[in-house]
Each structure stands twice: as C-alpha cells, then as structure tokens.
Amino acid sequence: MNVVLCHQIADFDTLGAAVGLTRLHPGTKIVLTGGTHPKVGEFLAYHRDEYPLIEARAVDPSQLRQIWVVDTQWRRQLGQAAGWLDQPQVQIGLYDHHLEMRGDIVSQQQWLEPVGATSTIVCEQLQAAEISLTPTEATVLALGIHADTGSLTFEQTTVRDVQALAWLLSQGANQRAIATYCAEGLSENLQPLLRQAWANLQQVVHQGYRLGWVLLHTAEYLPGLSRFITQLADLSECDAILLGHSYRQHHLAIIARSHIPNVNVAHLLAPLGGGGHAQAAAVTVTTEAPEAMLQELFTRLREQIPHPPTAAELMSSPVRTVRPETPIADAHRVLLRYGHSGLSVVSAEGELQGIISRRDLDVALHHGFAHAPVKGYMKAPVRTISPTTPLPEIQALMVQYDIGRLPVVNDQGDLVGIVTRTDVLRHLYALNRNRETVCPLPTLNLYEALQQRLPEQLWTLLQRAAAIARERGWQLYLVGGAVRDLLLAIAQGNHHLPTREFDLVVDGVQQEEAAGVHLAQALHALYSETDLQIYGQFQTATLHWPKASALAGFAVDIATARSEFYPYPAAHPEVAASSIRQDLYRRDFTINALAMRLTPPRHGEVLDFFGGQEDLERGLIRVLHPNSFIEDPTRIFRAVRFAVRLGFELEPQTRQYIEYALTSGVFATRDRPTSKRPSLQSRLRNELRHILELPLAPNEHFGGERALTLLAELRALECLDRQVTFDEAAKGRLQLVWKWWPEIPERRQWQTFPLWELELLALIVTVPTAGAIARQLQLGEHLCEWLDTFPQFQQEWQTLRQTTPQRSHHWRFLESHPLPLIVLLAAVLQAEGSAAALAEVTLLREYLWQWRLQKPPLNGHDLQQLGYRRGPQLRQILLALRSAMLDGLVSDRSSAIAYVEAHFPKP
C-alpha cells in the first residue's frame, strides 16, 4: 500500500501536491493527518469524493510500502501518522519548498526546491511525464500555488510557479473556484470599518440566495474597498452584496459583487455610468440621498435574481437502496456495480433509515466486517430535502454538515431521488478547459438547427415522439452520434445532417422500467409499416422502416435511461434503469456522451457533462473513464474508427489507457472457458466491418487503411492473433481485393458477397490459425472452411501450374472453387511480389475477366441440329468445346463443328 501524508491543519498546497502525486503514482491514497484550514474544509465538502482520500484508521501500517510526505519536513506535523515512518519496510519520499531549516524526517528520496509552493514541484513532474489532469485536479493544484505565493505576489514566488500555474490553466483549472477559495487580506485602516460594516449590514434571503447592502460614511475616499467588499461578502456569506461609500460632500462610491448565476451587476450599475463585468462592478456618483439610491439599487438587484434550480431538477433518480440487514460486502458490490459513492438504507416498508458511504464501507471491510449488516455502520438520522428545496439551501446543508448526498423525500414520505455533490458541482461550475478554440461552436438554439437540417418526415417523427413522452410525464433526449454530427455540421456550416438512425433516451422522475419500450410501441402504432423489435434484457426497442416505405432503411433505437455494469472484462453489460446523466456516463467517448432535450419547455438544451463539445472543437477522441477499454475492449477499435472517420486524434491519456488494456491481456478472455460466453468477438467483428467499410480517404489505397495502420501501431490487431500484422504484404492483399472485387464482371451467386468480409479474409489469410480466428469472430462456417483449406488450395494450384501447361486444366480447376477464394489467391500472390507470383496473378485475372465469360461457338441447339441428342452428352460436348477454345484448338464455328465431329461420334 502506498500513501501520501499531508501535514496537520492541511492547507491547499499540501492537498494539491498530494493530489498530484496520486496521478504520478497511480493507486496511491491521500491521508489527512489532522484537520484542515477552513477554506480547505469547505472545498473538500464539495470535492472530497473526487480525490483518493482515506481515513488514517483505514491504514494498516504493516502493509505500507511507500510513503510520500508533502509540504513539511517535520514529524511533529504528521500527528500519529509519524509513527508509520518507522516501519522497516517503508520507503520515504519527501517533497517540500521550505528550505530555511531542515526537518527531522529521514527519507530515501528528496525533492526540495526553492520555489513558492510544493505544488509547483509536483506540477513540473506531471508535465515532464505528459500526464493530463482533470479540471478538479488542476484546480486544487492551482489553489496550492495561489495560497503559498499570495496569488503570485509574495517575494518567494518564482518564474517556475508562474509557469506551473499557466500549465494548470491549460489543463482546465477553474478560475471561479480559485477566486472562491483564495482568501484576501485587508489593510490596517480598513479593518475597523469591517466590524462597522458587519454591524450595519442589511441582509435578506431571496429565492434561496442571501443578499446584503451596507452604507459607510467617511470624510475622505478610502482605497482598497474591492478587497473590503470581498471580505465582507465572505464573512456574511452573502451571494450578492452592495457596498456604498459616502465621502466628502454628496460623493457616493458603489461597489457590487455577485456569485449568483444570470445576475449581472454591471448591467445594474450601467445606467449610472458604472463599469465592470457580471460578477463585479463599480460606479461613483453624486447624490444627496445615498441611502435611498442604494436601497433602490438593492430592489433592482432582487428583481434580477432568477429562480434557482430545485432538488427535483438536480437529483438523480431512481435511487439505489439497500436494506438495513444487507451485508457490508453486498453493499460494497452495489457501489462497484453502479459507480456510486454512497447508498440510501431503507426498510422493507420503504422508510428511509440511513445513509452509508463508500468510506464507511471501506472502514468496515478493513476491520473484517464484510458479513456485518449495514445498519451498524450507516449514518442516522438522515437529513433530507424536498423536491422543491432550492440549490442555495442544498449547498448550505452540504457545507454546514459535510454531507455528500441528500435524499429527496416527497410530501408522502417517499424517497424519489438523491442530490449528490456531483449534481451540485455540475450545476455550479462549467468545468470547461481554458484552451484556444480550434473550431468554435456557435451558440444557437439547437432545436431550430436540427429542424433546419432534417427532412420533414424525420422532423415530424421526432416531434411525435416528444409529444408522446410529454403526455406521459417523461423527458425525451436525442443522444449520441446525431447530436455530435449536428454540432459538427453547425460548426462547419453544413446545412444537411446525414443520418440513418436516431438514438432516443427516455428519462423521468418517477421512472418506469420499460418507458423506452412503451414509447416505441406508441410510435409503432403511428407507423404501422415499421418492424418493432424489443430487447427486454436491455430495456430497449428498435423501429425499422422497410424498403418499400417512405423512410426506407431508417431506424430508431429507443431506450430507458440506464446504467451498465460489466460483470467481468469483455462481457455483455448488465443494465438497470437510471438517470440521463448515468446513461450518458455509460457511453464510450465524450463526443458521444451528448444529449439534446426534445421535450419542452427546455427543448434544444444540450447536456454535456463530460466536455464533449470541447473535444469536438479540439478534434480529440477522449474516453470517459479509465477502465472503459478493459470493460469493453472493442472500444479500442471504435476509438480508432472515430478518429479516422472524423479526422481527430486520440487524446494522449486515452491512448495510454488503450496501451494498458492491451498489455493487461484483456483479449485473452475470448479463450477463457465460461458458461457465459463473452460477446467480445461478435462485437469485434462488427467493429472490423465498420472500419473496412470506411470511405476511401485521400492518399489511401483502400477504405480503412489509415485505421488499420493506427491499430497496428497500437498493436491492437494482436487481439485477433499475435501473428496478425498489417505490413506491406497485408496492405498489398487488401489493395488488390478492394480494386478487383467490385469490378469483376458477372459474379452471379457471389454478387452480394460483401467486400468487407473478403478484405477481412485477406487480412488474416496467411496466418496459420486463420480458420480459428474466423470462428472466434463468428464468421460463416463456409468462410472458416475456406481459410482452413487455403494452404492446400494454393499448393494444388501451384502444382497444377508446374505440371500442366494447358489453360483448359487451369480453367477446370478454378471453376471448381468459389470466386472469393480465387481473389484471395490472387491477393496472396500479388503480395508475394516475385516474377513467378505476378505471372500467376496475371493468369488469375485472365480467368476472372475473360475465361469465365467465353462461350463456345456452338450451343445446345446447334448440336441438336448436327444430330446429337439431348442429354448429358450435350453438356459434355460444350465443356469440351470451352476447353478446346482455351487451348487454341477451336476459334470459330467451322472449327468447332470439325472438333465435335472428330471427337464425339453421332449416335
């Protein structure tokens, strides 16, 4: 076990450095050795679950292998955890920027640097390792640098601190969060006024937000009131505040601050000539009634306050619950399955009994109580909220009581949802990365943009589906590829949205398990020509329009919002009803985890919880979570396909996750004996098909060439077999197949044989286990047999060519084999490249384009006119004539008659 220790009364620098070290050394846990600064505690009230924090009591010192100590060199600042340093098996690493005096911690490794913050040292190592951070990781590291450098104003600040902070901003550090948690000081002459302002501050609570105003009188103007109002707002916990400063005769300086969404104090002060921005503005006016003016502005400020979102809008539903008697181990498995950080405990009658968190379960498991009931470890009584509780009140409860989740209970006492820290943070902060925009996405109503780009019949279909959902009290979303392609079409100025399917998701507060199926059945009643397929296991349904219909070939997939759990790597997922947020989280990449609301009143709203729009702008394929490729390895092929199709790049961290999944041996599950045979290979076959069906791109010799090249670079093709490569020989085989197969005339029964299947055979045909690979991919048995017998087929052909020069023998041999197999033979010989092999390719081409199509000068009717009877002999004569033509013995009708009469006596 590896841990990083923060000093007692942890500040942002020790916390930020610790978080960074957990990224440098995956699997490392953070231990707070004793207390935090108030601002850090407030920050962790929201973000605790986003960092790998564990309680000191959950650590078994005998299991420790590596300890990193950050931002201190003194044992006394580590509390009881200092004793862990004496464990004989432990290696100690030390990070610190306080160089004035060396401490008493003996370490094997030291990183002591003359910089402004320990977080800077860790940032430099993260940069050197090319590790990408999440916005919350970047934010806490940035707070560490701000805190210990006075926001880059202290004398010990170095250029390295500035560079580290700039890099963190590029990684998505949230400026609003930094401004919220960076404290500022006051000058000595302002400090007495703070007490006066606090005593006279007028406060009201409106729409769940605390508002305040105060008027100060001094003889002369006082500088530094910007920091003053910030301190006053922090002290009073006001969400918006007005400060009036009356000085000299009739002069009034007004300063406004607001942290309320959609409230613009610059607009408030603009009529008076003020300036600033939405959150901070100021103006100086002359007035004989300063208090009346301030009260009037305060009234106008209240009118700007929007109705805050309520618990009903923020909450996740349905709620995962366990009974009080549920064993700790079972509850832990539920958390793992659904990715939650806590569970509600309810009685058999549905009464809420308590809450148990992941930390509670971890402690119980650590002490060996896996079989104990959760009621012994849950927190009770439980603080609850109603569906109408506003966001500010929810925030206050979470911070005041350090609660990570608040159950939502209606008037009847029913548990209808739960609001978590994550729900609040998603609304509070749009954690968008501050990076240069490559392909700006314009802000417009996507509902109208979608209508403009869809045929009328498809638009009507969506409107009907939305109307049905609204009637039943559901929310309906268009999700995935259609939303992605719509955003790209808008950004690129395309006025058409090419789509052959819609992916719809039904979500609702009181959710029915099969809501998606019910919606599909209702649409089927309106479109009776469709074929309806229902998949009860996955709570989904699909409507297909037949060829003869107006929407021929179109499909609509409709699902109930659901979450997925993979019981073992590469398995089919197990699904359960969930919320739209969790439904999007189960998807593969950020650019596919986008949803557009179709039901009013907020129709056209785009849900983007994972930065998908930014990745569209940047041209990146980014996976949603680290284990994604282990849970479903075919996503590796999907990532490559999307990258090639859209002209995007694999995000560096995503590429590392791919490499880790491949080296972990996850594809070996295909050979693992199990009663639940994984569906990995059938999904893999479908992905290979999509890749091989990619359109031909510039500088490609066949569709999918760039995708296969990238897969080969990643060594992903080894999932088929370690001997499968995409070298020049393989490229040559696929190039010939791509060029020949569509052009071969009169393919007859092979007319519908798909090109992609032939390309796939060409990719693996030279591997000794090609037939086994084809069976794992669940290709047709006849294709598997072709590959099994291909070496024998090739040997027989070469023996025939060496021993028999007559073309008629070659023709008869080839006529007895399937057309795709002959093309495969040509592809293999072409890739071989020798003069003899290329001569064989020329001969095979002649067979495909000429020999097969040649007809003898005489037909069956002609033979009957010559006196031959109908029967098997006629076919024998016609075959002999074709052979004679190929061997140059017959060239026209007269020579054909002479040949027949000489070789076939008349009856």
Side-chain angles (χ1 to χ4, degrees), residues 485-504:
D485 293 342
L486 174 62
L487 289 168
L488 287 174
I490 294 170
Q492 296 165 1
N494 297 333
H495 300 289
H496 176 63
L497 182 64
T499 181
R500 299 304 303 162
E501 64 178 1
F502 287 147
D503 190 357
L504 304 179

Side-chain angles (χ1 to χ4, degrees), residues 638-797:
R638 284 172 60 79
V640 169
R641 173 162 61 89
F642 280 120
V644 171
R645 176 187 156 194
L646 300 174
F648 285 13
E649 298 290 335
L650 295 177
E651 182 263 337
Q653 187 68 60
T654 296
R655 187 166 183 139
Q656 290 180 20
Y657 290 147
I658 290 175
E659 292 168 353
Y660 174 76
L662 290 170
T663 56
S664 72
V666 67
F667 280 102
T669 57
R670 68 174 186 268
D671 302 322
R672 193 174 296 163
T674 173
S675 58
K676 298 180 179 179
R677 178 176 175 82
S679 62
L680 169 64
Q681 300 304 326
S682 62
R683 300 202 303 271
L684 182 56
R685 178 199 62 222
N686 292 334
E687 282 304 321
L688 286 168
R689 173 180 180 173
H690 292 317
I691 286 172
L692 292 169
E693 288 182 337
L694 285 170
L696 188 67
N699 300 320
E700 280 191 334
H701 299 97
F702 53 88
E705 181 178 1
R706 284 190 298 169
L708 290 173
T709 301
L710 181 51
L711 287 169
E713 289 177 7
L714 295 168
R715 302 185 66 178
L717 292 176
E718 292 184 10
C719 72
L720 302 175
D721 189 283
R722 292 191 181 275
Q723 298 182 69
V724 175
T725 61
F726 190 60
D727 52 14
E728 290 304 316
K731 292 179 183 179
R733 294 195 300 272
L734 269 73
Q735 183 177 348
L736 182 139
V737 168
W738 170 274
K739 184 177 180 181
W740 278 25
W741 186 248
E743 298 178 359
I744 294 174
E746 296 188 27
R747 286 187 281 159
R748 299 185 182 93
Q749 74 267 32
W750 303 109
Q751 191 64 41
T752 58
F753 190 86
L755 174 60
W756 75 267
E757 272 194 340
L758 192 53
E759 290 182 284
L760 181 53
L761 298 183
L763 178 65
I764 64 176
V765 65
T766 57
V767 178
T769 57
I773 296 171
R775 288 184 178 87
Q776 289 170 352
L777 294 175
Q778 300 179 18
L779 298 179
E781 182 58 29
H782 63 291
L783 303 183
C784 303
E785 291 175 357
W786 290 355
L787 295 173
D788 288 336
T789 60
F790 184 82
Q792 178 184 349
F793 166 62
Q794 184 178 2
Q795 183 61 47
E796 289 175 354
W797 166 254

Side-chain angles (χ1 to χ4, degrees), residues 583-642:
D583 186 277
L584 294 175
Y585 184 66
R586 72 178 177 81
R587 296 174 185 270
D588 46 15
F589 310 113
T590 59
I591 63 171
N592 293 334
L594 298 164
M596 189 184 84
R597 194 190 302 266
L598 296 176
T599 41
R602 289 153 61 188
H603 49 286
E605 175 187 49
V606 174
L607 302 186
D608 179 11
F609 301 117
F610 312 108
Q613 292 185 74
E614 181 192 359
D615 285 335
L616 284 176
E617 297 170 4
R618 301 290 301 175
L620 293 176
I621 303 297
R622 185 191 307 274
V623 76
L624 279 179
H625 44 90
N627 292 326
S628 182
F629 297 119
I630 292 177
E631 292 178 342
D632 184 0
T634 60
R635 287 174 174 166
I636 296 171
F637 288 74
R638 284 172 60 79
V640 169
R641 173 162 61 89
F642 280 120

